[in-house]
Amino acid sequence: MKITAILLLEVCLQVSANGFSQSVTLKMENAPLEKVFSEVEQQSGYSFVYTKDVLARAKPVTVQLTNANIGETLNRCFTN
């Protein structure tokens, strides 16, 4: 009985975690990183903390994503 309860709890938690995943759609060409962060924040509710120095050294970002998760979105933004 305990094993069944544990497995049921695990399945419920997994379903809950998948339900809260965020998807982001971006189409930006040579956009400043600050603008990309702002758009991701609006679409997902995640907040980013960065310094002006980091933004000053960042190259413009060109990204085109449709319904991508946060991890994939950030990986694409930071590839170059």
Side-chain angles (χ1 to χ4, degrees), residues 51-72:
T51 62
K52 290 182 181 183
D53 183 46
V54 170
L55 293 178
R57 290 184 282 139
K59 296 178 183 177
V61 175
T62 298
V63 63
Q64 186 170 357
L65 298 166
T66 304
N67 294 329
N69 64 33
I70 297 297
E72 182 182 351

Side-chain angles (χ1 to χ4, degrees), residues 4-21:
T4 304
I6 290 172
L7 289 175
L8 185 58
L9 178 63
E10 184 176 326
V11 169
C12 290
L13 290 176
Q14 182 64 30
V15 170
S16 176
N18 286 337
F20 287 115
S21 66

